[in-house]
Amino acid sequence: MDLLMSVRPGQGCTVLEVRGELDMATSRQLREALQRLVDSGDRQVVVDLAAVGFMDSSGLGALVVMFKALRDAGGRLCLAAVQPAVRNVLTVTSVDQVIDIYDSVPAAEADVRPTDAAGR
């Protein structure tokens, strides 16, 4: 199954809305979409996981790799609207101690820390 993703401007950030399952078959798509955002200069990225009901270790790996890439570029990746099964994976692996997780996209947007004058 393909991962459906859409990008939209948020309040001081870019929001990547993700739909589907994050697994070995789709994690590369997520990583590539996030890399395109980094390459285009986006530095504040909120990944909206409201429509993701499953994530395995490869999906987790894609998020961690891109979290580090954004951090190294002076930016920030955070997660929003994480469903219980996905949150469990983040908690069990302690990734929730490293990547900020918000109950909703508006809550994540409210905590954006602009990195430049444009707030990108």
Side-chain angles (χ1 to χ4, degrees), residues 83-114:
Q83 298 304 301
V86 174
R87 186 177 284 270
N88 187 51
V89 172
L90 296 166
T91 301
V92 166
T93 58
S94 297
V95 170
D96 64 338
Q97 301 299 308
V98 178
I99 300 177
D100 291 326
I101 301 172
Y102 298 88
D103 291 337
S104 67
V105 171
E109 290 173 323
D111 198 34
V112 166
R113 300 166 209 147

PDB file of all heavy atoms in Angstrom, residues 83-114:
ATOM      1  N   GLN A  83      -1.462   8.486  16.768  1.00  0.00           N
ATOM      2  CA  GLN A  83      -2.449   7.497  17.194  1.00  0.00           C
ATOM      3  C   GLN A  83      -1.847   6.552  18.240  1.00  0.00           C
ATOM      4  O   GLN A  83      -0.627   6.378  18.305  1.00  0.00           O
ATOM      5  CB  GLN A  83      -2.949   6.709  15.980  1.00  0.00           C
ATOM      6  CG  GLN A  83      -3.653   7.587  14.950  1.00  0.00           C
ATOM      7  CD  GLN A  83      -4.808   8.353  15.575  1.00  0.00           C
ATOM      8  OE1 GLN A  83      -5.730   7.776  16.111  1.00  0.00           O
ATOM      9  NE2 GLN A  83      -4.740   9.687  15.518  1.00  0.00           N
ATOM     10  N   PRO A  84      -2.691   5.922  19.073  1.00  0.00           N
ATOM     11  CA  PRO A  84      -2.182   5.099  20.185  1.00  0.00           C
ATOM     12  C   PRO A  84      -1.186   4.009  19.793  1.00  0.00           C
ATOM     13  O   PRO A  84      -0.166   3.842  20.471  1.00  0.00           O
ATOM     14  CB  PRO A  84      -3.462   4.487  20.783  1.00  0.00           C
ATOM     15  CG  PRO A  84      -4.523   5.507  20.478  1.00  0.00           C
ATOM     16  CD  PRO A  84      -4.163   6.062  19.125  1.00  0.00           C
ATOM     17  N   ALA A  85      -1.434   3.283  18.707  1.00  0.00           N
ATOM     18  CA  ALA A  85      -0.514   2.205  18.325  1.00  0.00           C
ATOM     19  C   ALA A  85       0.851   2.761  17.933  1.00  0.00           C
ATOM     20  O   ALA A  85       1.891   2.177  18.266  1.00  0.00           O
ATOM     21  CB  ALA A  85      -1.100   1.391  17.172  1.00  0.00           C
ATOM     22  N   VAL A  86       0.860   3.895  17.257  1.00  0.00           N
ATOM     23  CA  VAL A  86       2.117   4.521  16.847  1.00  0.00           C
ATOM     24  C   VAL A  86       2.803   5.130  18.063  1.00  0.00           C
ATOM     25  O   VAL A  86       4.018   5.011  18.241  1.00  0.00           O
ATOM     26  CB  VAL A  86       1.865   5.573  15.743  1.00  0.00           C
ATOM     27  CG1 VAL A  86       3.142   6.332  15.416  1.00  0.00           C
ATOM     28  CG2 VAL A  86       1.292   4.900  14.500  1.00  0.00           C
ATOM     29  N   ARG A  87       2.040   5.754  18.922  1.00  0.00           N
ATOM     30  CA  ARG A  87       2.617   6.341  20.140  1.00  0.00           C
ATOM     31  C   ARG A  87       3.274   5.245  20.984  1.00  0.00           C
ATOM     32  O   ARG A  87       4.321   5.473  21.596  1.00  0.00           O
ATOM     33  CB  ARG A  87       1.556   7.068  20.954  1.00  0.00           C
ATOM     34  CG  ARG A  87       2.169   7.801  22.152  1.00  0.00           C
ATOM     35  CD  ARG A  87       1.159   8.596  22.929  1.00  0.00           C
ATOM     36  NE  ARG A  87       0.779   9.825  22.294  1.00  0.00           N
ATOM     37  CZ  ARG A  87       1.386  10.994  22.487  1.00  0.00           C
ATOM     38  NH1 ARG A  87       2.427  11.063  23.285  1.00  0.00           N
ATOM     39  NH2 ARG A  87       0.958  12.070  21.887  1.00  0.00           N
ATOM     40  N   ASN A  88       2.685   4.078  21.024  1.00  0.00           N
ATOM     41  CA  ASN A  88       3.258   2.966  21.780  1.00  0.00           C
ATOM     42  C   ASN A  88       4.654   2.623  21.261  1.00  0.00           C
ATOM     43  O   ASN A  88       5.579   2.408  22.047  1.00  0.00           O
ATOM     44  CB  ASN A  88       2.337   1.747  21.718  1.00  0.00           C
ATOM     45  CG  ASN A  88       2.819   0.645  22.625  1.00  0.00           C
ATOM     46  OD1 ASN A  88       3.090   0.861  23.801  1.00  0.00           O
ATOM     47  ND2 ASN A  88       2.943  -0.556  22.062  1.00  0.00           N
ATOM     48  N   VAL A  89       4.821   2.581  19.936  1.00  0.00           N
ATOM     49  CA  VAL A  89       6.139   2.306  19.351  1.00  0.00           C
ATOM     50  C   VAL A  89       7.127   3.393  19.760  1.00  0.00           C
ATOM     51  O   VAL A  89       8.269   3.099  20.130  1.00  0.00           O
ATOM     52  CB  VAL A  89       6.039   2.219  17.805  1.00  0.00           C
ATOM     53  CG1 VAL A  89       7.421   2.125  17.170  1.00  0.00           C
ATOM     54  CG2 VAL A  89       5.178   1.034  17.391  1.00  0.00           C
ATOM     55  N   LEU A  90       6.690   4.638  19.719  1.00  0.00           N
ATOM     56  CA  LEU A  90       7.559   5.763  20.097  1.00  0.00           C
ATOM     57  C   LEU A  90       7.942   5.694  21.577  1.00  0.00           C
ATOM     58  O   LEU A  90       9.076   5.997  21.947  1.00  0.00           O
ATOM     59  CB  LEU A  90       6.874   7.087  19.782  1.00  0.00           C
ATOM     60  CG  LEU A  90       6.596   7.348  18.300  1.00  0.00           C
ATOM     61  CD1 LEU A  90       5.627   8.502  18.142  1.00  0.00           C
ATOM     62  CD2 LEU A  90       7.883   7.594  17.543  1.00  0.00           C
ATOM     63  N   THR A  91       7.003   5.275  22.419  1.00  0.00           N
ATOM     64  CA  THR A  91       7.252   5.191  23.855  1.00  0.00           C
ATOM     65  C   THR A  91       8.172   4.021  24.193  1.00  0.00           C
ATOM     66  O   THR A  91       9.134   4.176  24.951  1.00  0.00           O
ATOM     67  CB  THR A  91       5.919   5.049  24.610  1.00  0.00           C
ATOM     68  OG1 THR A  91       5.113   6.185  24.311  1.00  0.00           O
ATOM     69  CG2 THR A  91       6.134   4.965  26.103  1.00  0.00           C
ATOM     70  N   VAL A  92       7.890   2.848  23.640  1.00  0.00           N
ATOM     71  CA  VAL A  92       8.676   1.647  23.925  1.00  0.00           C
ATOM     72  C   VAL A  92      10.140   1.839  23.529  1.00  0.00           C
ATOM     73  O   VAL A  92      11.047   1.350  24.205  1.00  0.00           O
ATOM     74  CB  VAL A  92       8.064   0.416  23.219  1.00  0.00           C
ATOM     75  CG1 VAL A  92       9.004  -0.768  23.198  1.00  0.00           C
ATOM     76  CG2 VAL A  92       6.759   0.032  23.881  1.00  0.00           C
ATOM     77  N   THR A  93      10.365   2.580  22.443  1.00  0.00           N
ATOM     78  CA  THR A  93      11.726   2.799  21.952  1.00  0.00           C
ATOM     79  C   THR A  93      12.368   4.064  22.539  1.00  0.00           C
ATOM     80  O   THR A  93      13.508   4.380  22.218  1.00  0.00           O
ATOM     81  CB  THR A  93      11.725   2.919  20.421  1.00  0.00           C
ATOM     82  OG1 THR A  93      10.860   3.993  20.044  1.00  0.00           O
ATOM     83  CG2 THR A  93      11.269   1.621  19.783  1.00  0.00           C
ATOM     84  N   SER A  94      11.626   4.786  23.373  1.00  0.00           N
ATOM     85  CA  SER A  94      12.063   6.044  23.998  1.00  0.00           C
ATOM     86  C   SER A  94      12.301   7.172  22.998  1.00  0.00           C
ATOM     87  O   SER A  94      12.898   8.187  23.345  1.00  0.00           O
ATOM     88  CB  SER A  94      13.320   5.844  24.849  1.00  0.00           C
ATOM     89  OG  SER A  94      13.028   4.964  25.919  1.00  0.00           O
ATOM     90  N   VAL A  95      11.830   7.022  21.772  1.00  0.00           N
ATOM     91  CA  VAL A  95      11.952   8.090  20.779  1.00  0.00           C
ATOM     92  C   VAL A  95      11.106   9.285  21.207  1.00  0.00           C
ATOM     93  O   VAL A  95      11.436  10.427  20.904  1.00  0.00           O
ATOM     94  CB  VAL A  95      11.586   7.579  19.368  1.00  0.00           C
ATOM     95  CG1 VAL A  95      11.471   8.717  18.371  1.00  0.00           C
ATOM     96  CG2 VAL A  95      12.622   6.560  18.905  1.00  0.00           C
ATOM     97  N   ASP A  96      10.051   9.025  21.978  1.00  0.00           N
ATOM     98  CA  ASP A  96       9.213  10.129  22.469  1.00  0.00           C
ATOM     99  C   ASP A  96       9.969  11.033  23.443  1.00  0.00           C
ATOM    100  O   ASP A  96       9.513  12.128  23.753  1.00  0.00           O
ATOM    101  CB  ASP A  96       7.929   9.609  23.102  1.00  0.00           C
ATOM    102  CG  ASP A  96       8.164   8.775  24.351  1.00  0.00           C
ATOM    103  OD1 ASP A  96       9.283   8.245  24.529  1.00  0.00           O
ATOM    104  OD2 ASP A  96       7.223   8.646  25.144  1.00  0.00           O
ATOM    105  N   GLN A  97      11.145  10.588  23.901  1.00  0.00           N
ATOM    106  CA  GLN A  97      11.977  11.411  24.772  1.00  0.00           C
ATOM    107  C   GLN A  97      12.880  12.344  23.963  1.00  0.00           C
ATOM    108  O   GLN A  97      13.484  13.257  24.518  1.00  0.00           O
ATOM    109  CB  GLN A  97      12.845  10.530  25.676  1.00  0.00           C
ATOM    110  CG  GLN A  97      12.047   9.597  26.554  1.00  0.00           C
ATOM    111  CD  GLN A  97      11.133  10.344  27.508  1.00  0.00           C
ATOM    112  OE1 GLN A  97      11.585  11.234  28.225  1.00  0.00           O
ATOM    113  NE2 GLN A  97       9.865  10.005  27.510  1.00  0.00           N
ATOM    114  N   VAL A  98      12.966  12.096  22.647  1.00  0.00           N
ATOM    115  CA  VAL A  98      13.857  12.857  21.779  1.00  0.00           C
ATOM    116  C   VAL A  98      13.072  13.750  20.813  1.00  0.00           C
ATOM    117  O   VAL A  98      13.378  14.931  20.662  1.00  0.00           O
ATOM    118  CB  VAL A  98      14.773  11.904  20.980  1.00  0.00           C
ATOM    119  CG1 VAL A  98      15.680  12.662  20.037  1.00  0.00           C
ATOM    120  CG2 VAL A  98      15.581  11.032  21.925  1.00  0.00           C
ATOM    121  N   ILE A  99      12.059  13.176  20.167  1.00  0.00           N
ATOM    122  CA  ILE A  99      11.238  13.919  19.211  1.00  0.00           C
ATOM    123  C   ILE A  99      10.004  14.432  19.941  1.00  0.00           C
ATOM    124  O   ILE A  99       9.300  13.662  20.595  1.00  0.00           O
ATOM    125  CB  ILE A  99      10.826  13.026  18.017  1.00  0.00           C
ATOM    126  CG1 ILE A  99      12.058  12.511  17.271  1.00  0.00           C
ATOM    127  CG2 ILE A  99       9.917  13.809  17.068  1.00  0.00           C
ATOM    128  CD1 ILE A  99      11.748  11.553  16.125  1.00  0.00           C
ATOM    129  N   ASP A 100       9.752  15.736  19.829  1.00  0.00           N
ATOM    130  CA  ASP A 100       8.573  16.320  20.474  1.00  0.00           C
ATOM    131  C   ASP A 100       7.297  15.806  19.809  1.00  0.00           C
ATOM    132  O   ASP A 100       7.199  15.748  18.586  1.00  0.00           O
ATOM    133  CB  ASP A 100       8.612  17.847  20.386  1.00  0.00           C
ATOM    134  CG  ASP A 100       9.721  18.452  21.237  1.00  0.00           C
ATOM    135  OD1 ASP A 100      10.008  17.890  22.312  1.00  0.00           O
ATOM    136  OD2 ASP A 100      10.286  19.478  20.828  1.00  0.00           O
ATOM    137  N   ILE A 101       6.323  15.448  20.649  1.00  0.00           N
ATOM    138  CA  ILE A 101       5.036  14.932  20.181  1.00  0.00           C
ATOM    139  C   ILE A 101       3.931  15.808  20.753  1.00  0.00           C
ATOM    140  O   ILE A 101       3.923  16.106  21.951  1.00  0.00           O
ATOM    141  CB  ILE A 101       4.830  13.464  20.626  1.00  0.00           C
ATOM    142  CG1 ILE A 101       5.957  12.589  20.060  1.00  0.00           C
ATOM    143  CG2 ILE A 101       3.468  12.959  20.180  1.00  0.00           C
ATOM    144  CD1 ILE A 101       5.957  11.175  20.586  1.00  0.00           C
ATOM    145  N   TYR A 102       3.005  16.207  19.883  1.00  0.00           N
ATOM    146  CA  TYR A 102       1.897  17.076  20.271  1.00  0.00           C
ATOM    147  C   TYR A 102       0.575  16.377  19.983  1.00  0.00           C
ATOM    148  O   TYR A 102       0.482  15.561  19.072  1.00  0.00           O
ATOM    149  CB  TYR A 102       1.966  18.398  19.501  1.00  0.00           C
ATOM    150  CG  TYR A 102       3.222  19.164  19.814  1.00  0.00           C
ATOM    151  CD1 TYR A 102       4.384  18.950  19.087  1.00  0.00           C
ATOM    152  CD2 TYR A 102       3.261  20.084  20.857  1.00  0.00           C
ATOM    153  CE1 TYR A 102       5.557  19.634  19.384  1.00  0.00           C
ATOM    154  CE2 TYR A 102       4.423  20.773  21.161  1.00  0.00           C
ATOM    155  CZ  TYR A 102       5.562  20.544  20.423  1.00  0.00           C
ATOM    156  OH  TYR A 102       6.715  21.215  20.724  1.00  0.00           O
ATOM    157  N   ASP A 103      -0.438  16.751  20.761  1.00  0.00           N
ATOM    158  CA  ASP A 103      -1.762  16.151  20.594  1.00  0.00           C
ATOM    159  C   ASP A 103      -2.422  16.534  19.276  1.00  0.00           C
ATOM    160  O   ASP A 103      -3.262  15.794  18.777  1.00  0.00           O
ATOM    161  CB  ASP A 103      -2.686  16.540  21.750  1.00  0.00           C
ATOM    162  CG  ASP A 103      -2.264  15.884  23.060  1.00  0.00           C
ATOM    163  OD1 ASP A 103      -1.572  14.840  23.014  1.00  0.00           O
ATOM    164  OD2 ASP A 103      -2.616  16.413  24.126  1.00  0.00           O
ATOM    165  N   SER A 104      -2.051  17.692  18.729  1.00  0.00           N
ATOM    166  CA  SER A 104      -2.667  18.171  17.495  1.00  0.00           C
ATOM    167  C   SER A 104      -1.675  19.030  16.715  1.00  0.00           C
ATOM    168  O   SER A 104      -0.684  19.503  17.268  1.00  0.00           O
ATOM    169  CB  SER A 104      -3.912  19.002  17.815  1.00  0.00           C
ATOM    170  OG  SER A 104      -3.523  20.189  18.483  1.00  0.00           O
ATOM    171  N   VAL A 105      -1.992  19.240  15.434  1.00  0.00           N
ATOM    172  CA  VAL A 105      -1.150  20.122  14.621  1.00  0.00           C
ATOM    173  C   VAL A 105      -1.172  21.545  15.179  1.00  0.00           C
ATOM    174  O   VAL A 105      -0.111  22.169  15.314  1.00  0.00           O
ATOM    175  CB  VAL A 105      -1.560  20.068  13.133  1.00  0.00           C
ATOM    176  CG1 VAL A 105      -0.834  21.143  12.329  1.00  0.00           C
ATOM    177  CG2 VAL A 105      -1.267  18.678  12.560  1.00  0.00           C
ATOM    178  N   PRO A 106      -2.351  22.094  15.547  1.00  0.00           N
ATOM    179  CA  PRO A 106      -2.340  23.447  16.120  1.00  0.00           C
ATOM    180  C   PRO A 106      -1.461  23.560  17.374  1.00  0.00           C
ATOM    181  O   PRO A 106      -0.802  24.573  17.574  1.00  0.00           O
ATOM    182  CB  PRO A 106      -3.813  23.724  16.440  1.00  0.00           C
ATOM    183  CG  PRO A 106      -4.560  22.890  15.440  1.00  0.00           C
ATOM    184  CD  PRO A 106      -3.730  21.636  15.299  1.00  0.00           C
ATOM    185  N   ALA A 107      -1.431  22.530  18.202  1.00  0.00           N
ATOM    186  CA  ALA A 107      -0.574  22.554  19.391  1.00  0.00           C
ATOM    187  C   ALA A 107       0.902  22.571  18.984  1.00  0.00           C
ATOM    188  O   ALA A 107       1.704  23.288  19.591  1.00  0.00           O
ATOM    189  CB  ALA A 107      -0.864  21.356  20.286  1.00  0.00           C
ATOM    190  N   ALA A 108       1.260  21.817  17.956  1.00  0.00           N
ATOM    191  CA  ALA A 108       2.647  21.817  17.470  1.00  0.00           C
ATOM    192  C   ALA A 108       2.990  23.171  16.869  1.00  0.00           C
ATOM    193  O   ALA A 108       4.075  23.712  17.111  1.00  0.00           O
ATOM    194  CB  ALA A 108       2.836  20.707  16.437  1.00  0.00           C
ATOM    195  N   GLU A 109       2.070  23.736  16.101  1.00  0.00           N
ATOM    196  CA  GLU A 109       2.304  25.052  15.485  1.00  0.00           C
ATOM    197  C   GLU A 109       2.501  26.128  16.552  1.00  0.00           C
ATOM    198  O   GLU A 109       3.319  27.034  16.381  1.00  0.00           O
ATOM    199  CB  GLU A 109       1.134  25.437  14.580  1.00  0.00           C
ATOM    200  CG  GLU A 109       1.048  24.597  13.321  1.00  0.00           C
ATOM    201  CD  GLU A 109      -0.207  24.860  12.518  1.00  0.00           C
ATOM    202  OE1 GLU A 109      -1.283  25.088  13.124  1.00  0.00           O
ATOM    203  OE2 GLU A 109      -0.120  24.843  11.280  1.00  0.00           O
ATOM    204  N   ALA A 110       1.784  26.015  17.639  1.00  0.00           N
ATOM    205  CA  ALA A 110       1.882  27.005  18.717  1.00  0.00           C
ATOM    206  C   ALA A 110       3.257  26.980  19.388  1.00  0.00           C
ATOM    207  O   ALA A 110       3.649  27.952  20.033  1.00  0.00           O
ATOM    208  CB  ALA A 110       0.793  26.765  19.757  1.00  0.00           C
ATOM    209  N   ASP A 111       3.986  25.877  19.224  1.00  0.00           N
ATOM    210  CA  ASP A 111       5.291  25.724  19.865  1.00  0.00           C
ATOM    211  C   ASP A 111       6.446  25.831  18.868  1.00  0.00           C
ATOM    212  O   ASP A 111       7.575  25.476  19.179  1.00  0.00           O
ATOM    213  CB  ASP A 111       5.341  24.379  20.594  1.00  0.00           C
ATOM    214  CG  ASP A 111       6.467  24.324  21.624  1.00  0.00           C
ATOM    215  OD1 ASP A 111       6.775  25.360  22.245  1.00  0.00           O
ATOM    216  OD2 ASP A 111       7.051  23.230  21.779  1.00  0.00           O
ATOM    217  N   VAL A 112       6.167  26.324  17.661  1.00  0.00           N
ATOM    218  CA  VAL A 112       7.211  26.458  16.646  1.00  0.00           C
ATOM    219  C   VAL A 112       8.242  27.480  17.105  1.00  0.00           C
ATOM    220  O   VAL A 112       7.890  28.529  17.641  1.00  0.00           O
ATOM    221  CB  VAL A 112       6.598  26.872  15.279  1.00  0.00           C
ATOM    222  CG1 VAL A 112       7.687  27.342  14.327  1.00  0.00           C
ATOM    223  CG2 VAL A 112       5.835  25.717  14.682  1.00  0.00           C
ATOM    224  N   ARG A 113       9.485  27.134  16.881  1.00  0.00           N
ATOM    225  CA  ARG A 113      10.593  28.028  17.215  1.00  0.00           C
ATOM    226  C   ARG A 113      11.275  28.437  15.919  1.00  0.00           C
ATOM    227  O   ARG A 113      12.114  27.697  15.401  1.00  0.00           O
ATOM    228  CB  ARG A 113      11.585  27.303  18.123  1.00  0.00           C
ATOM    229  CG  ARG A 113      10.939  26.849  19.417  1.00  0.00           C
ATOM    230  CD  ARG A 113      11.816  25.861  20.156  1.00  0.00           C
ATOM    231  NE  ARG A 113      10.946  24.995  20.927  1.00  0.00           N
ATOM    232  CZ  ARG A 113      11.204  23.724  21.170  1.00  0.00           C
ATOM    233  NH1 ARG A 113      12.276  23.159  20.706  1.00  0.00           N
ATOM    234  NH2 ARG A 113      10.365  23.008  21.885  1.00  0.00           N
ATOM    235  N   PRO A 114      10.907  29.587  15.371  1.00  0.00           N
ATOM    236  CA  PRO A 114      11.498  30.003  14.083  1.00  0.00           C
ATOM    237  C   PRO A 114      13.010  30.025  14.120  1.00  0.00           C
ATOM    238  O   PRO A 114      13.615  30.414  15.110  1.00  0.00           O
ATOM    239  CB  PRO A 114      10.943  31.412  13.866  1.00  0.00           C
ATOM    240  CG  PRO A 114       9.691  31.454  14.684  1.00  0.00           C
ATOM    241  CD  PRO A 114       9.973  30.580  15.877  1.00  0.00           C
TER     242      PRO A 114
END
